[in-house]
Amino acid sequence: MDRPLSLGERFRVRFGADARFYRAPGRVNLIGEHTDYNEGFVLPAAIDFHCLVAANRRPDHRLVVHSEDFHETCEIELSSDSISRSQTWSDYPVGVAVHLQRAGFHLQGTNLLIHGEVPIGAGLSSSAAIEVATAYALLSVSGCSIDRVQVARLCQEAENEFVGARCGVMDQFVSLHGRAGHALILDCRSLDYELLSIPDFVCLVICNTMVKHELASSEYNRRRAECEEAVRRLSEAVPGIRALRDLNPEQLERHRALLPETIWRRAQHVVSENARTLEAAAALRAGDLEEFGKRMAQSHHSLRDVYEVSCPELDLMVQLASGQRGAYGARMTGGGFGGCTINLVDKQHAEKFRRQVAKAYENGTGLKPQIYVCSAADGAGLVTPEMEFKETT
Ligand code: GLA
């Protein structure tokens, strides 16, 4: 039987040239949910699902992007000042090109072939992976140096302004700064971060509920607006606060009367989640997974009952995981209203965990979940010749 063509061969068939390869990972967030846009703390890890991009330079000034996932090609003139969004997948790579140029990078004409392996719509940041892999490829083909913090910010800006999704900076940042075997605690205000080693004997088990509820993006935007309203109202009493990050639990309690009930609950989640994330980071630094797992459980409860972004499928998945042997902690991960849970599980129990949770979830919902046993991966980069064989087939 014929072997399938590698990504490089498919690139040659489509563009008649040799390519270089770049990759950027998706992510899972261990704790620190809905805190990034409040300038707080997050603790994500890059995962070993990537977006791969093959790229070469064109003689003209056009950007030609083909998506293998959507079987479509999009073409733009890079020097045009009227590039508008199409509300399709191509807004991600095109938005990145627009924002890189706006930031002063002189991009060369480029062909891109995009192959995404991060599950789409599962809350594992397939969009950040496409943005970051595209940015990396465009800058590299154009001979520009790569400042990872700046690239993270520009990709977030492209998603906020060109695509029109008001995400925080977590996904793009960890896709660029992740390290194999490590999670990363990030201060979303200063963008200072520290890599924290994940003990060898545990793996990251990601359980995909296979549901994505309609209201995910409208509710995400509503939560952001509610957090902003909390800051506006509290700034009368607490001078100098810029974001919920600036409040501690005592201050919030003291000024409770200034906030309507729902707004207070939103602020309560964010303030407590920031504290929990720092405590979880301390536990991981100390290698105390029991403590880390407790913080994960508290985070899930707060997201479910106080921030109200969970859903019955996520709650069931967390509940099923919590009783399993070798499981330290479980919680929903990402924006919520569907998508995935993250579980810290002893490697030796991971396979049994996977089977039992899958079976019980299917019995409970009639849905067959996908369960990925992952480890923390490196951030975006050029795919070296040794990696090429593995990654481009
Ligand atoms: C989505 C966004 C992130 C973050 C999470 C919630 O994944 O893309 O920036 O806000 O939701 O923690």
Side-chain angles (χ1 to χ4, degrees):
M1 222 170 80
D2 288 348
R3 69 168 177 84
L5 295 183
S6 68
L7 185 64
E9 288 163 337
R10 301 197 294 277
F11 186 91
R12 181 185 289 283
V13 169
R14 181 165 297 278
F15 295 112
D18 285 337
R20 295 184 80 187
F21 305 97
Y22 305 87
R23 60 168 175 73
R27 65 98 188 92
V28 71
N29 191 16
L30 300 184
I31 193 165
E33 215 65 86
H34 290 276
T35 45
D36 62 352
Y37 53 82
N38 290 299
E39 302 187 20
F41 300 94
V42 293
L43 211 166
I47 51 174
D48 39 12
F49 282 113
H50 294 99
C51 173
L52 294 168
V53 168
N56 85 331
R57 192 155 158 174
R58 292 173 59 89
D60 55 15
H61 203 225
R62 297 182 78 70
L63 173 64
V64 180
V65 193
H66 182 81
S67 161
E68 293 199 330
D69 306 279
F70 293 91
H71 311 285
E72 270 176 19
T73 304
C74 146
E75 194 163 337
I76 58 159
E77 182 60 44
L78 282 167
S79 49
S80 160
D81 47 20
S82 61
I83 302 172
S84 52
R85 70 168 119 149
S86 62
Q87 305 207 307
T88 67
W89 65 272
S90 64
D91 286 344
Y92 294 95
V94 170
V96 165
V98 167
H99 281 265
L100 288 175
Q101 293 199 118
R102 202 174 282 172
F105 290 103
H106 295 287
L107 299 183
Q108 307 290 331
T110 306
N111 294 314
L112 296 179
L113 180 61
I114 299 183
H115 178 85
E117 55 178 35
V118 184
I120 295 176
L124 301 177
S125 289
S126 57
S127 43
I130 292 184
E131 291 156 9
V132 169
T134 301
Y136 211 106
L138 288 174
L139 291 171
S140 172
V141 165
S142 303
C144 305
S145 60
I146 290 169
D147 169 340
R148 287 177 185 257
V149 172
Q150 187 189 20
V151 172
R153 284 221 188 269
L154 288 173
C155 288
Q156 181 205 5
E157 190 182 290
E159 184 153 345
N160 289 172
E161 292 174 23
F162 195 85
V163 178
R166 296 189 69 204
C167 62
V169 73
M170 164 170 71
D171 307 346
Q172 293 81 1
F173 195 93
V174 69
S175 182
L176 280 145
H177 292 84
R179 172 88 58 85
H182 293 74
L184 176 161
I185 171 93
L186 170 67
D187 176 336
C188 296
R189 171 171 284 167
S190 64
L191 298 189
D192 288 341
Y193 71 98
E194 181 190 342
L195 291 166
L196 301 175
S197 156
I198 300 175
D200 268 357
F201 58 87
V202 284
C203 50
L204 308 177
V205 182
I206 298 172
C207 300
N208 189 345
T209 60
M210 309 306 279
V211 297
K212 185 86 219 168
H213 295 292
E214 277 286 304
L215 32 78
S217 69
S218 58
E219 288 296 319
Y220 185 88
N221 290 340
R222 190 200 302 265
R223 292 299 177 284
R224 285 200 67 150
E226 288 166 343
C227 291
E228 284 159 14
E229 187 181 339
V231 172
R232 247 190 334 270
R233 287 174 180 257
L234 288 166
S235 59
E236 294 165 20
V238 192
I241 77 163
R242 237 175 61 194
L244 287 177
R245 145 71 178 271
D246 296 311
L247 282 182
N248 61 41
E250 295 72 41
Q251 284 170 310
L252 182 60
E253 197 49 55
R254 200 173 328 132
H255 299 296
R256 184 169 183 168
L258 290 176
L259 301 180
E261 174 67 16
T262 305
I263 305 293
W264 183 79
R265 291 159 74 84
R266 306 309 184 230
Q268 163 73 21
H269 165 74
V270 174
V271 170
S272 66
E273 184 77 354
N274 273 331
R276 268 190 296 277
T277 304
L278 293 175
E279 287 157 9
L284 193 54
R285 246 179 242 116
D288 187 346
L289 294 183
E290 303 282 347
E291 195 59 32
F292 193 91
K294 281 189 199 145
R295 297 290 175 268
M296 289 175 80
Q298 291 164 354
S299 167
H300 185 77
H301 294 153
S302 178
L303 289 158
R304 183 189 66 195
D305 302 334
V306 183
Y307 212 61
E308 298 175 285
V309 291
S310 187
C311 63
E313 295 86 352
L314 284 167
D315 295 339
L316 176 64
M317 197 71 102
V318 166
Q319 188 201 324
L320 295 173
S322 307
Q324 300 294 325
R325 185 131 185 251
Y328 291 97
R331 54 180 289 281
M332 56 156 275
T333 186
F337 300 102
C340 295
T341 65
I342 169 70
N343 305 268
L344 268 192
V345 184
D346 238 307
K347 270 186 184 151
Q348 54 168 331
H349 297 293
E351 190 42 41
K352 188 154 181 218
F353 175 97
R354 199 181 62 70
R355 267 187 281 118
Q356 296 201 335
V357 171
K359 190 160 152 234
Y361 182 78
E362 192 176 351
N363 286 343
T365 61
L367 297 165
K368 230 183 191 19
Q370 281 178 4
I371 301 192
Y372 322 108
V373 178
C374 294
S375 44
D378 281 329
L382 179 70
V383 179
T384 59
E386 309 83 73
M387 293 156 77
E388 226 165 79
F389 177 72
K390 189 177 146 266
E391 302 226 18
T392 60
T393 47

